[in-house]
Structure formats: structure tokens, C-alpha cells
Amino acid sequence: MPFNARLAPSTYVPAEDRYEAMPYRRCGRSGLRLPAISLGLWQNFGDDRPLERSRAILRRALDLGITHFDLANNYGPPYGSAEKNFGRIFAEDFGGLREELVISTKAGYDMWPGPYGEWGSRKYLLASLDQSLARMGLDYVDIFYSHRFDPETPLEETLGALDTAVRQGKALYAGISSYSAEKTREAASIMRGLGTRILIHQPSYSMLNRWIEPDLLNALEDEGIGCIGFSPLAQGVLTDRYLHGIPQGSRASRDESLPSSHLDEQTMAKVRALNDIAVRRGQSLAQLAIAWTLRDPRVTSALVGTSSVQQLESNVAALDRLDFSDEELAEIDRYATDSEINLWAESSRA
């Protein structure tokens, strides 16, 4: 039987205290606040994972105050399955809670065959959004992103499609992902001219991938755009999983979204030093990494993935210790240096 053949009847009742512990941060100069930790469905929500496990993670996330669920058209595997599975769980468990949730999706990477199945054309973006809404069973998403800058499509066309999505009521806000500081400023200017502001930028950001400092963060602050950093754990490098080698069955062992080359000795020496700092702070390495990305008030939210409820709970516990002394930050800076692990660098260089 396929993993995702059926869901048991829903018995879910959200926790009454779900908004008491989670901090919510204002997204740039907008009226929207996002949870300090958001849940990304890039990994672990496709048809290769049991649907009931995904359901348990999403339920627990909301109980912990995570109101923002982030998807993209090609999340899976196969492409589209994360949105489809999310839609099934949403209909069963969250159907009466739509107004309490922020749901985002993106388009920009490979989705279907032919010349109209990726990048940033108006045809691709608007067709993709319609497909995403159908898969999730939604009338609208809260945020629709251009997933990457398209160097061969006029920026006015890409952003015009985002503007259209908002004006059609299919998205409440527009976002961009992995755009350089220069293109972000250009995009913000174009969108202001259209009358639809950019709400948020989603860049990769971690202690080993600090490319958004200082240019992009300054641009976002100037333009009033929020920032949600994805991959704060560097695809798992900044966890205790790889401190003593590459476990069988891990992402790195499969050479998927975490190439084993990212775990060279120079990088791992930094990771072990950062782990020592985390231990002294009474945190796991992952908790330190998440808390560190949130130290800058310009970062609205840290976007984390998870493969289990236990891992989700541990990540959210990073919020118990967000304070850093000047001495701790200085020590972290000795080891938190670029390690050439940014898989999305090409897009952000344009």
C-alpha cells in the first residue's frame, strides 16, 4: 500500500494555549506578523513519507504556535506532492482554521516539461499558482513568491505576474526568494510603481552561509521588506548528526540536498567548535544555529524543516534561549564563516 493511501478520520482539536509561548515578529513595514519559527515543507512531506507522520508534524506545529507553512510547486517527491498532501491534511484538520494560518507557495524552478515550466515568465508563474491552489484545495495563498531571479525575463514581467496574483485575490502578498540586494531594490521599486509592495524575501541563511550580511539585510531594512531565512541548519550540517561522520541513510549519505562535499574537515572543525559553544549555553547545536539567525531584528522568522515531531519540538525550544552576550557573539564569529555551502548562490549573484 502506498505511504499516502489514506488518512484516519480527524480527531484534531488545536491546543488552547497555542499562542501563548511563540513570539510573533512584524514582517518588515507591514501589518503581518509571522512566528519566529516557520515550518517549511521542502523535505519530508512528499509521497515518499507516511502521510500520518506529516499530519502529526503539522498538528504539533500549530499547537506550538507555528502559524506559517511554506511550500513550493515542486516540493515532493514527486513534484507537487507536498502541496497535495498538505491540502489533504488541511481539509481534514485545519479547514476551519484558515484565517489563523499563513500559507505560502513559490514558483521558479523546474516543474513541468517544455519551455514554460520554470523560471519567471508570466505564463509560468500564473499557471503554476493556479495549479498550486488546486493541489492544496485553497482559494488563495497568503504569500506567493518568485522562487528565483530569472536573468532572461524582464523583471517587470516577473513582478507583474506577482502583482496580478494579488489583484486577482489568489495571493494576499507578494514575495521574492534568493534575489541579490541590487535586484531586491530594483524589484521593490517596480512593485511600488505597480501599487503592490513586496512583503518578504526568503534567502538561505545560516552560520556557515552569511551572504545576506550586510548588503541584502540593509536593502530589506531600507525597503521595509521582511526576511525569512531558510536552511538555518545548513541542510543539517549544523546539527549533531554529522559530528562523528556521515550516518547511513542520512541526506549526506544519499548526496541529495546535502552534498557530502559540504562536510569536509575544515567545515566540520568549525561545526565542532560551534557545538562546544552550544553545550556551554545549554543548547543543542541546532538550537544555537536557529537562535543565532534570529539575533538580528531584521530577520522576521527562521524557516525550518523537520522529519519528526520530536525534531520539531527540539527546534522550537531554541526560542527558550535567544539572548547572546557580546563575548558569545564574538566567539561564534570566529567559526561562523562562509563554508561555500550555498546551493542557491548563482541566483543571488545576478
Side-chain angles (χ1 to χ4, degrees):
M1 181 181 295
F3 271 144
N4 297 339
R6 64 172 62 91
L7 276 172
S10 179
T11 58
Y12 177 63
V13 178
E16 292 185 3
D17 62 352
R18 59 190 178 278
Y19 298 122
E20 293 182 8
M22 175 64 66
Y24 296 88
R25 296 182 169 194
R26 191 161 301 280
C27 190
R29 290 195 293 273
S30 78
L32 186 70
R33 291 190 297 161
L34 294 179
I37 290 179
S38 299
L39 180 62
L41 280 68
W42 175 28
Q43 307 279 342
N44 304 308
F45 289 85
D47 286 349
D48 59 336
R49 301 301 170 101
L51 192 58
E52 285 291 351
R53 183 189 302 170
S54 301
R55 181 191 216 179
I57 291 170
L58 289 167
R59 286 177 169 186
R60 185 59 179 146
L62 184 56
D63 285 345
L64 292 169
I66 296 176
T67 54
H68 179 207
F69 301 127
D70 180 78
L71 298 106
N73 55 357
N74 64 354
Y75 287 176
Y79 289 174
S81 60
E83 288 183 328
K84 183 176 69 174
N85 293 331
F86 174 81
R88 292 177 65 183
I89 296 166
F90 173 86
E92 288 282 338
D93 293 339
F94 301 148
L97 302 170
R98 180 65 184 94
E99 290 74 21
E100 297 186 34
L101 303 179
V102 173
I103 301 170
S104 59
T105 196
K106 302 178 283 293
Y109 285 93
D110 175 57
M111 184 59 194
W112 61 80
Y116 319 120
E118 64 177 325
W119 292 105
S121 72
R122 179 180 183 85
K123 179 174 178 61
Y124 168 61
L125 292 175
L126 294 179
S128 178
L129 177 56
D130 284 342
Q131 291 181 11
S132 291
L133 292 174
R135 280 190 291 268
M136 291 187 283
L138 301 177
D139 295 326
Y140 69 95
V141 290
D142 296 274
I143 307 169
F144 181 50
Y145 287 91
S146 166
H147 206 166
R148 60 172 168 171
F149 173 72
D150 181 351
E152 297 187 358
T153 296
L155 194 52
E156 291 83 357
E157 178 178 340
T158 298
L159 298 173
L162 298 184
D163 174 69
T164 295
V166 172
R167 293 184 185 279
Q168 288 178 339
K170 296 178 181 179
L172 300 186
Y173 299 97
I176 57 177
S177 179
S178 298
Y179 278 50
S180 67
E182 178 185 356
K183 291 302 178 183
T184 295
R185 291 185 187 275
E186 186 178 346
S189 176
I190 292 170
M191 290 295 275
R192 275 196 303 273
L194 294 171
T196 300
R197 298 179 65 89
I198 295 174
L199 170 79
I200 193 167
H201 187 300
Q202 187 177 131
S204 60
Y205 184 47
S206 74
M207 291 193 290
L208 301 178
N209 176 24
R210 300 178 65 167
W211 74 273
I212 69 174
E213 305 168 5
D215 293 342
L216 181 59
L217 282 177
N218 286 342
L220 298 180
E221 183 176 27
D222 292 343
E223 300 292 347
I225 297 172
C227 177
I228 177 168
F230 74 88
S231 201
L233 305 183
Q235 296 91 256
V237 178
L238 290 168
T239 69
D240 59 10
R241 187 162 201 188
Y242 300 104
L243 289 175
H244 307 293
I246 300 177
Q248 189 65 31
S250 64
R251 272 201 255 177
S253 70
R254 300 190 301 269
D255 243 3
E256 294 179 346
S257 58
L258 174 57
S260 57
S261 60
H262 288 186
L263 300 171
D264 61 81
E265 181 52 37
Q266 183 178 10
T267 297
M268 293 313 299
K270 298 178 190 176
V271 170
R272 287 188 285 269
L274 291 168
N275 184 65
D276 290 342
I277 297 171
V279 170
R280 295 201 303 270
R281 282 172 51 86
Q283 290 181 304
S284 69
L285 176 57
Q287 289 166 347
L288 171 69
I290 293 168
W292 180 89
T293 64
L294 292 168
R295 78 200 186 287
D296 191 316
R298 295 173 294 183
V299 176
T300 310
S301 184
L303 182 61
V304 304
T306 187
S307 60
S308 68
V309 168
Q310 181 182 18
Q311 187 180 72
L312 173 70
E313 292 173 340
S314 179
N315 287 342
V316 172
L319 301 176
D320 295 340
R321 184 76 196 278
L322 293 178
D323 59 300
F324 288 91
S325 68
D326 291 341
E327 292 75 17
E328 284 176 323
L329 290 174
E331 185 179 8
I332 289 170
D333 279 342
R334 291 170 54 193
Y335 308 108
T337 59
D338 186 81
S339 298
E340 298 184 356
I341 64 169
N342 185 358
L343 299 176
W344 307 271
E346 184 175 352
S347 177
S348 59
R349 289 193 193 106

